[in-house]
Amino acid sequence: MIIDSHAHYDDQAFDEDREEVLVSLQKHRVGIVINVGASLESTKRTVALTQRYSFIYGAAGVHPDEVGGLNEESFGWLREQCLQKKIVAVGEIGLDYYWNKENCAIQKKWFVRQLRLAGELQMPVIVHSREAAADTMEILKQEYNPNTPVVIHCYSYSPEMAGEYLRMGFYLGIGGVITFKNAKKLKETVQMAPVERLLMETDCPYLAPVPYRGKRNDSRNLLYVAEAIGELKGMTAEEVIRVTEQNARRFYRLEET
Ligand code: NI
């Protein structure tokens, strides 16, 4: 089966036809979706989706753009959501110096707090990092915890830095960008990385692969991502789907069904 390791089906882009899209996924071999929280509100919506659909699991976390909403009280609430039955990871958390909606010090503070929360609860972590390569690496090295596997979602940095993350035991999240002609660094990264450390993700509604670039994305498009990874690794799309399913199960600790 195809596992979408990172999606945002709670996004308003799906308000018109969410049910229809979600129900159609299983007919297209998408067996499991991890819906990822990005704010307090979307974490709440994520928990609701996991309760409504058997094939949806969730991650609870606050994205760097949204950490202004965190305080001791709301952080306590977030911790409680992590204990919900189908919440399998903390995320997405990290640093974003591209949008820079919150200042760097505040971003770092809540990134570290959420990483330590994952450490305390021994949960996997989904990291978002944009234009913040050095600070992200520094924090992840300082806070390294062998009980919390880490995926660098929508990996966008150099192959050299990917090598460093791989040596730390981390996973790389690969999505629609791998099908873009100009994604030279990412293609080099995927060629170099062991396929056992790759997770397929949509980040939908964003980042649709070619031939749907610019349109609303959904998990059915992961077939194009599997094909693109397969081309780079000398594997068939089927083999990529099989291996990345195992990777996602190992990473999120999802039992075989
Ligand atoms: Ni995301």
Side-chain angles (χ1 to χ4, degrees), residues 5 34 36 58-61 82 87-93 114-127 140 145-152 170-171 199 247-254:
S5 69
I34 312 295
V36 177
C82 291
I87 295 298
V88 294
V90 173
E92 57 187 285
I93 65 174
Q114 292 182 92
L115 277 173
R116 289 181 185 167
L117 174 65
E120 179 210 336
L121 301 176
Q122 305 204 356
M123 291 173 84
V125 172
I126 302 164
V127 170
L140 286 172
N145 182 332
N147 294 320
T148 61
V150 174
V151 61
I152 311 293
F170 292 8
Y171 288 67
L199 299 183
N247 299 347
R249 287 186 184 281
R250 188 186 323 119
F251 182 81
Y252 289 116
R253 300 157 179 164
L254 301 169

Side-chain angles (χ1 to χ4, degrees), residues 6 8 36 92 128 153 203:
H6 188 123
H8 302 282
V36 177
E92 57 187 285
H128 168 104
H153 129 74
D203 204 20

Side-chain angles (χ1 to χ4, degrees), residues 162-219:
E164 211 169 333
Y165 280 132
L166 290 165
R167 280 190 292 280
M168 290 159 76
F170 292 8
Y171 288 67
L172 306 176
I174 308 296
V177 176
I178 195 67
T179 66
F180 298 177
K181 268 213 171 68
N182 56 359
K184 198 167 159 275
K185 279 190 308 177
L186 183 61
K187 287 182 190 190
E188 279 173 39
T189 298
V190 167
Q191 265 169 338
M192 166 278 287
V195 69
E196 290 74 21
R197 295 287 192 80
L198 303 181
L199 299 183
M200 284 209 293
E201 60 170 52
T202 54
D203 204 20
C204 67
Y206 310 107
L207 296 173
V210 173
Y212 299 114
R213 188 171 180 177
K215 304 250 163 62
R216 186 183 75 175
N217 196 10
D218 70 56
S219 312

Side-chain angles (χ1 to χ4, degrees), residues 58-128:
V62 177
H63 183 286
D65 289 349
E66 304 286 341
V67 289
L70 279 171
N71 53 43
E72 291 311 318
E73 191 189 340
S74 56
F75 189 74
W77 177 86
L78 185 68
R79 185 184 186 283
E80 277 169 34
Q81 306 318 303
C82 291
L83 302 174
Q84 298 259 9
K85 201 164 146 236
K86 288 175 77 193
I87 295 298
V88 294
V90 173
E92 57 187 285
I93 65 174
L95 302 173
D96 194 319
Y97 297 169
Y98 178 78
W99 293 111
N100 238 341
K101 283 195 188 159
E102 300 294 337
N103 80 49
C104 298
I106 304 275
Q107 290 192 32
K108 285 184 189 173
K109 172 188 164 181
W110 289 111
F111 183 27
V112 169
R113 286 289 299 273
Q114 292 182 92
L115 277 173
R116 289 181 185 167
L117 174 65
E120 179 210 336
L121 301 176
Q122 305 204 356
M123 291 173 84
V125 172
I126 302 164
V127 170
H128 168 104

